[in-house]
Amino acid sequence: MDVISIRDMEKKDIEEILDSAEAYAAGKKKSPLSGKVLATLFFEASTRTKLSFQSAALRSGMEYIDFLPETSSLKKGESFEDTVKTVEGYADALVIRHPKEGSARLAADILGKPVINGGDGGNQHPTQTLIDLYSIRKSKGRIKGLNVTLFGDLKHARTMRSLAYALGMFEAKVTLVSPVGLEMDPLYVKELEDRFSLQVHVKTEPEFSEADVLYVCRIQQERFADPMEAKRVTERFRIKKDDLKGAKDDLVILHPLPKINEIEGAIDGMKQARYFEQAHNGVPVRQAVLEYALHK
Amino acid sequence: MQVDKIEMGTVIDHIRAGKAAKVMKILEIGENYPHRVAILINVPSKMMKTKDIVKIEGKVVSEEHANIIALVSPGASINIIRNSAIEKKFTVALPKEVSGLGRCANPNCITAEGAKTKFRMEGDGRYRCHFCERRSGAEELV
Ligand SMILES: [Zn+2]
C-alpha cells in the first residue's frame, strides 16, 4: 500500500494508523517488519524527517539503506524514474522526498513496491499530517469537536493545508489565523467546507482565546516585499508568554519544527508547549505507517 | 466560401471563434499531416455570431479523443464522415479523465519534467492533476 496523500486515505485507515502508533509508543506492539529493508531517498535535505524514518525502521527491526543524491548518478543526469526503478530492487519499501510536486505519486505509479511520500514540494507530507493528528489526539484524547487554530503563513505552508483537510475529516472546528496576504487559498477552504461541511473561521488578527489547540507555523520574512512590513507582521504574530494569559488553561501548542522565533523561547518550558513531544511522536507514527505500507 | 466535400474524415463544427488552432493541436494535426485539412475561422453563425470549423480528411476521430475539444470549446459538434455521408454526429462532452494530453498549470509539477499527464474531473467541473493535486479550470489544461 502506498502512502502518498492524505486525500487517498479514509478516516478508518487513519484511525488504524493512530491506534497502531499508540501501541508502538506504549511498547505494546512488536512490529512484523523484522528483516525488511527500507530505502530512504531524499532528493532534497530534510534531516528530521529522514532520521525519524530511519529510527522508525530500526525500532521495527528493519534495516535501511540511504540514497544520497549528491554522490549518485543523478549528477550524471539520470532521470528520477530510472533512479527509483533501480533502488526498488534493493529494498522492500521506499520513502521518497523530492522538491517536485507529484514525484511520489509518479514513483508509486511505476513501482510495485510500497512508496511512502516524505514530502513532494509544496504538495503533501502525509506522515507529518498523521503525526499532527496523533499529537492532537494524544494530548486531548479526541479530535472531534476541538477548536483547532491554525496560525501563521497559511498560504504557503503545505502542512497547514493537509492538516486542515484531515481536521475536516475528523470533524474538528477550524479557525484560520494569518496576516493579510498570507491567508489559505479561499478556493481550498471552500472545498473543505463543501466536502466535510466543515465550519471554518478566518481571522487576520493574532487571536486564539477560543482555541483548544494552537498550531503555529513560521511566517517567512521573504514573503513580504517591504522588510519593515515583514518585521512588523512577524513581530505581531509572534506568540508571547503574555498572550497565553487570555488563552484556555489547557491549551496545547504544536509546531512542525524547526521553529525560528515565532514562539517566544520562554514558552518552551511551559506545559502548553507540546512541539518537542510532537516531533518525538514521529517515530511511533512512522513505525505504524511502515507497517501499514508493507502489510496492507 | 466553398470547401470540397470529404469522402472519409471528421468535421468539427460550432467551435468557439478563435479556438480552431487549439482543436488542431488536440487532434494532433500537425505540419506533417498527409491529407487535406480545411480550417475556417470567424464563420458567421446564427447561434454563435461567429464560429470556427475544421474539416479533416482521412482521419476518423474517436469520441473519447473528440471530447477533449470540450475543454476549449464546449458545444462543438462532431460529424464523422464515411462514404461522403454523415455516419455519426455528436456534441462533445467534458471528459471525466484527461490522460497524456494537456499541461498542468503548476510549473513545479513533476509532469513538467516530461512525465505523462493525467487529470480527473471533480464534482464542480474543475480538473485535478493526478500528480501534484493542483486543481485547474478546463481551459487551463490545453
Ligand atoms: Zn500537476
Side-chain angles (χ1 to χ4, degrees), chain A residues 237-249:
Chain A
F237 276 77
R238 173 172 304 143
I239 312 284
K240 296 161 208 82
K241 197 174 172 181
D242 279 352
D243 298 335
L244 301 184
K245 284 179 191 152
K248 286 192 180 175
D249 187 49

Side-chain angles (χ1 to χ4, degrees), chain A residues 5 99 101-102 109 123 191, chain B residues 106 108 110 128 130-133:
Chain A
S5 167
E101 285 123 40
D109 283 358
N123 183 33
E191 192 196 333
Chain B
N106 173 10
N108 201 40
I110 191 79
R128 187 184 295 280
H130 167 70
F131 296 98
C132 74
E133 306 187 3

